Structures are given as C-alpha cells and as structure tokens.
Amino acid sequence: MAFSPVKKLFFLLAATVLALTGCLGQKSPEERMYEVMENAVSAEKEFEAQQNPLVDLEKKENELFDKIIGLGMKEKAQIEKLSDEALSLAAKRKDHIEKEKESIQESRNQFKEASSTLEKIKDPELKEKAVFLIKTMNERYDAHKTLYDEYKKAIEGDEDLYNSLKSEDITLEDLEKKVNSVNAHYSKVLEANEKFNKLTETYNQEKLAFYKMAGLDGDS
C-alpha cells in the first residue's frame, strides 16, 4: 500500500542581500567605517551565490520525497532509487550551506574592524549611530549562525529519513516521527531566516542614515 501523504517542509532560503555602494576619498573615521562595511558586504558575494542553487536543490528534493511517499510499500526498488537521488541532493545542499557559512564568517572577520574605527568618530550622534550599526550587524551574524546550525540538523534529519525509507522494516509511525523532527528544525530555520532578513533591512536603513549624517555622497 502507499504511504499516507505526510508532507515534508523544505526551507527555501530567501535571505535579504545587503546593498551598500559608494566611494571613498580621504579616509576620515566615518569614511573608514564605510570602507569596513563595504568590505564586509564584498565578503558576502559567495553567500549570495549559494541562494538560487539551494532553492533549486530543495525543490527537487521535495519532489522526490513526494514521489516516494506516493509509492506502494512493495515498490522497494523504486523507493531505494529515489531515496538515493534525494541523498545525493542533500549532500549537495551541505556543500552550499558550508560555502554560505564561510562567506558570512569572512564578512564577520572584515567587520571586526568597525569597533576600533568607532572610537575615532568624534561626533556624538554619528558615534551613536555607528554603535547601533555594529550591534545590529553582530546580531545579524548571530542569527545566521542559528540558521546554519538548524539547517545542518535538518539536512542530517533528511538523510536519516531517506536511509530509513530504504529499510525493509520502516513503519508509517517511524516515518511520521522522523518527518516531524525534520520539520521542527526547518521551522527554526525559517524563524532564524526571518530574523536575519529583518536585521539586514534595519542595518541597511541605518547605514544609509549614518552615511547621510556623515555628509558622504553614496552616488559618487
């Protein structure tokens, strides 16, 4: 008989991209602050490059899962074939999420200099704005770490699920438990991603406000 239609939630990564542009002349503390932010953004190019491939892999994997649960229990050969294909896609997702993590970590490393640059800003309002920028960006990095950790756990849960589907003695109850566990991780991923995007949006808005207060021309 066919598996009952248990739905599996796949996370479609939709991270907001930082958008910072401008030029640098003589490097005042404010301009140096911007340069640090610009370097941090440049370091996230690889992060951006992982988004579409991850979404495509997730969609394909979800389609395979739907096919698997629609098969009859006696169709083990086809189930094993599709499960192996899904495992291959999960492995590729691991590669992409690792590249994403490395890119964000490099961005974080570049951004560390912001704290020392902050001390050289004399204008109280600009300094206050810079303090908020640094706080927001660090919270953004922390949100991505949570996202990454939960996403890795979700992929590991996916792999366990696909391997179990190839087992001769898998039961519907066991399948549902594994799916629920995976979905719990993806729910946390979605929460972290939402927080990450909101922090990114706030950061971009406050960065532009800082830029304007500093009298810098973003179009030059």
Side-chain angles (χ1 to χ4, degrees):
M1 71 180 199
F3 291 121
S4 64
V6 181
K7 289 297 182 182
K8 183 182 175 204
L9 169 67
F10 273 92
F11 168 62
L12 301 183
L13 199 59
T16 305
V17 176
L18 289 173
L20 305 176
T21 57
C23 70
L24 298 173
Q26 295 297 319
K27 294 178 182 177
S28 65
E30 294 80 10
E31 290 171 325
R32 180 56 189 152
M33 186 75 174
Y34 177 79
E35 186 178 59
V36 170
M37 293 189 287
E38 183 78 359
N39 289 340
V41 173
S42 295
E44 292 192 19
K45 295 300 182 184
E46 188 65 23
F47 163 78
E48 295 174 32
Q50 307 311 311
Q51 305 309 298
N52 288 338
L54 268 172
V55 170
D56 290 341
L57 289 168
E58 289 164 356
K59 287 181 178 178
K60 291 176 182 177
E61 199 174 314
N62 199 19
E63 289 171 0
L64 287 174
F65 180 80
D66 287 342
K67 288 180 181 179
I68 291 171
I69 63 172
L71 291 171
M73 293 290 287
K74 293 181 180 180
E75 299 181 69
K76 293 300 295 183
Q78 183 65 3
I79 289 174
E80 288 183 14
K81 178 178 179 296
L82 294 176
S83 294
D84 284 337
E85 290 179 19
L87 283 166
S88 177
L89 294 177
K92 290 178 181 178
R93 284 199 292 135
K94 273 186 175 180
D95 290 338
H96 285 291
I97 199 68
E98 287 300 326
K99 289 179 182 178
E100 182 179 293
K101 176 194 175 186
E102 291 170 5
S103 180
I104 291 293
Q105 184 57 52
E106 176 58 26
S107 175
R108 190 166 202 162
N109 291 339
Q110 293 288 343
F111 196 73
K112 286 179 180 178
E113 193 176 337
S115 294
S116 59
T117 303
L118 167 69
E119 300 304 318
K120 300 174 184 177
I121 298 176
K122 298 188 181 338
D123 185 281
E125 288 187 40
L126 279 174
K127 180 168 286 192
E128 182 179 359
K129 183 70 69 177
V131 168
F132 184 76
L133 278 169
I134 292 172
K135 176 178 178 292
T136 302
M137 191 61 148
N138 285 330
E139 288 178 354
R140 176 179 176 270
Y141 290 136
D142 289 342
H144 186 271
K145 183 180 184 306
T146 300
L147 185 158
Y148 166 82
D149 290 343
E150 292 298 330
Y151 195 75
K152 279 291 294 292
K153 291 175 183 177
I155 294 178
E156 290 167 0
D158 286 332
E159 291 174 328
D160 178 54
L161 176 61
Y162 299 139
N163 282 316
S164 295
L165 285 166
K166 297 194 294 180
S167 173
E168 293 291 339
D169 57 357
I170 183 68
T171 66
L172 181 58
E173 183 180 2
D174 289 337
L175 175 63
E176 290 176 338
K177 285 181 180 179
K178 290 178 185 297
V179 169
N180 289 337
S181 176
V182 170
N183 283 346
H185 287 301
Y186 280 117
S187 292
K188 291 179 181 178
V189 169
L190 289 169
E191 288 177 10
N193 188 64
E194 183 178 355
K195 182 177 181 180
F196 177 83
N197 284 340
K198 285 182 178 178
L199 288 166
T200 300
E201 183 178 357
T202 299
Y203 175 83
N204 282 334
Q205 291 173 347
E206 292 301 315
K207 189 279 306 182
L208 292 175
F210 172 86
Y211 209 40
K212 184 175 182 179
M213 286 174 64
L216 300 172
D217 182 5
D219 295 327
S220 64

